[in-house]
Amino acid sequence: MKIFHIGSDSHFVDYLVARFERLAPGANVLVQATSRDPRPVEFTGPSSWVLPTSENVDLVVEQLQAADVVVVHAMSDFAALVCAQLPPEVIVVWSGFGFDYYRGEAADDLYGVRTLNLLKRVHRGKVPDRLGRLVVEGQPGSLEGAALDMVRQTVARRTDFFSAPAPPDLDVFTRAFPGFRGEYRQLNYGDIVSMCRAGDAVARGNDILVGNSAAWTNNHLETFRRLADTDLGSRRVVVPLTYGDNAYRDGVVRGGERLLGEHFFPIVDHLPIEEYLDIVAGCGVAVFLHRRQQGLGNIVAAVQQGTHVYLDRRNPLYAWLRELGLDIHRAAELQEALPEGPVDAASLARHREVLAGFWGTDRVEANLARFVAELEKRVSASARRARRQRVLPGRRNR
């Protein structure tokens, strides 16, 4: 069995591909499609790096002719154009991140009014469309965008397996891609050990962590407005902004300074990991106002360290995490008095048990082991059918 992986140079991709290789040694090849210089990876098998340009689509399609399985780690436009040209017998696995399937109806209400107004200011009147692209408000969509969406719809119809960071996103995916007839499998891009770099440390402060990046979907200004109406005391509002949209980031910094004053503590430069973890350890409250699944690793790490987590009720993660047994707060509760310190010891123990049940190393690796075994079974069955088809015509001619 030969498994080709298409992804960026993300450490999440690196984590999962390396574990595929442990279960199927020598079977995996990684194609990093990114405009950034490739970085050292945990996966030590064969890998290549290509710029995600139209000129390189055919190059990767040719490379993947040897594939039995293609695993796409977030279906970028480039990956979709490649997958649309794969032979029909190749098994396609769409392992989604979120941005690649929150489209159409699911993308209609991801941004608050303040965030949209900020985007218009910093991007000359542009706002996100239903495909996640910035366009001038009211302007008809481009033919290129429509064509790429059709390509994605085609790829979804031929996708055999879909995975998402959390199971509720299967419903989001099927609404965005109604032609999907495959099956859902749970693949994880991290476990407790990799996501919770602080280990068993417990939050030791009252600062407030807001969001996970300089992505528009964080709805930073809506969060700042809510926090500005609360008694912050001596708390800092810690806002990681080290990656994402730079123009949006600068607008968020200006808005944070205006609304939160001396409480505002943006992180705009990459910090040594120990320094960053020390800052986050001082946050007893974390607020993520995404209206879609995003930043799940950050949420898991916050819960693991006993932080009080607030989510928007429109985020599918809110109901799902509560169903799992986690005490997740509604964003509306930010209007009330903010909690002091971490959750109590009994709640922390219960939360960690819940997290281990879904993201524990044994569970994550067992999920992947079952999936790799299933792929091997399918590939073997496909090979047997191909051999029979080659033999049967000869028999009829005797």
Side-chain angles (χ1 to χ4, degrees):
M1 177 172 68
K2 184 63 70 175
I3 306 173
F4 280 76
H5 300 262
I6 304 177
S8 67
D9 61 347
S10 160
H11 66 277
F12 297 114
V13 175
D14 184 29
Y15 169 93
L16 187 54
V17 177
R19 279 148 187 82
F20 264 95
E21 180 65 11
R22 290 180 192 174
L23 293 164
N28 297 273
V29 178
L30 173 60
V31 179
Q32 295 183 81
T34 175
S35 57
R36 298 178 294 194
D37 291 335
R39 64 182 187 84
V41 291
E42 181 182 353
F43 172 66
T44 56
S47 64
S48 61
W49 171 68
V50 297
L51 286 170
T53 61
S54 58
E55 293 81 5
N56 286 329
V57 169
D58 288 343
L59 176 69
V60 176
V61 169
E62 182 178 354
Q63 185 179 0
L64 268 56
Q65 296 302 304
D68 297 303
V69 180
V70 172
V71 182
V72 179
H73 304 272
M75 190 66 71
S76 64
D77 292 341
F78 181 83
L81 288 166
V82 169
C83 289
Q85 301 180 64
L86 293 177
E89 64 272 15
V90 174
I91 298 171
V92 174
V93 182
W94 183 328
S95 188
F97 277 27
F99 71 85
D100 50 333
Y101 54 83
Y102 270 85
R103 313 168 74 78
E105 177 186 336
D108 278 343
D109 189 31
L110 296 181
Y111 314 98
V113 172
R114 289 181 174 85
T115 292
L116 288 174
N117 287 337
L118 171 59
L119 287 173
K120 290 178 190 177
R121 289 198 299 274
V122 301
H123 286 296
R124 300 180 179 179
K126 294 182 178 180
V127 294
D129 66 4
R130 300 181 93 196
L131 300 178
R133 297 177 172 87
L134 283 176
V135 298
V136 176
E137 190 173 23
Q139 180 177 304
S142 69
L143 288 176
E144 178 188 2
L148 285 169
D149 187 54
M150 290 180 65
V151 171
R152 285 174 183 265
Q153 296 291 344
T154 298
V155 172
R157 284 193 291 273
R158 67 146 305 166
T159 293
D160 298 277
F161 296 101
F162 170 71
S163 177
D169 271 4
L170 174 60
D171 179 61
V172 177
F173 183 81
T174 54
R175 283 188 284 121
F177 301 101
F180 172 67
R181 295 294 181 268
E183 302 173 60
Y184 184 84
R185 295 293 182 269
Q186 187 61 55
L187 304 178
N188 297 91
Y189 285 90
D191 56 10
I192 294 295
V193 174
S194 66
M195 290 188 289
C196 305
R197 301 285 292 276
D200 289 331
V202 179
R204 50 174 168 69
N206 293 316
D207 288 342
I208 303 168
L209 178 69
V210 171
N212 73 316
S213 65
W216 321 321
T217 42
N218 282 270
N219 289 306
H220 287 100
L221 296 192
E222 281 72 18
T223 308
F224 298 164
R225 181 68 268 170
R226 287 177 182 269
L227 292 175
D229 293 335
T230 66
D231 180 10
L232 295 176
S234 61
R235 300 173 190 255
R236 294 186 303 178
V237 178
V238 177
V239 187
L241 297 167
T242 52
Y243 67 93
D245 180 336
N246 290 343
Y248 171 77
R249 176 202 64 198
D250 294 343
V252 167
V253 170
R254 290 191 294 271
E257 291 172 343
R258 184 180 72 255
L259 290 168
L260 299 172
E262 63 183 10
H263 299 285
F264 184 57
F265 187 83
I267 301 175
V268 296
D269 297 314
H270 289 280
L271 301 176
I273 185 62
E274 294 304 323
E275 183 179 350
Y276 177 77
L277 290 176
D278 186 63
I279 293 172
V280 173
C283 297
V285 170
V287 185
F288 303 97
L289 285 199
H290 312 96
R291 298 179 185 181
R292 70 166 176 87
Q293 177 278 123
Q294 185 173 335
L296 184 53
N298 301 80
I299 295 171
V300 169
V303 172
Q304 174 75 5
Q305 75 168 15
T307 297
H308 301 268
V309 174
Y310 291 75
L311 299 182
D312 191 298
R313 289 187 67 177
R314 287 164 286 195
N315 187 336
L317 292 177
Y318 172 79
W320 179 65
L321 291 173
R322 288 178 63 87
E323 287 171 5
L324 287 181
L326 301 179
D327 299 325
I328 303 297
H329 301 275
R330 292 179 295 113
E333 295 175 38
L334 287 170
Q335 308 301 330
E336 305 168 7
L338 294 172
E340 297 280 341
V343 301
D344 62 80
S347 296
L348 178 59
R350 176 169 51 84
H351 287 176
R352 287 180 170 179
E353 183 177 357
V354 170
L355 295 180
F358 194 86
W359 290 280
T361 301
D362 291 344
R363 172 58 64 86
V364 168
E365 293 184 350
N367 288 344
L368 185 57
R370 283 194 300 270
F371 185 55
V372 170
E374 183 176 11
L375 292 176
E376 289 176 334
K377 186 176 180 180
R378 283 209 182 190
V379 169
S380 296
S382 177
R384 287 195 298 271
R385 285 194 299 270
R387 286 195 296 270
R388 285 198 299 270
Q389 289 170 357
R390 287 195 297 269
V391 170
L392 286 174
R395 287 179 176 175
R396 287 196 297 268
N397 290 334
R398 290 193 187 114

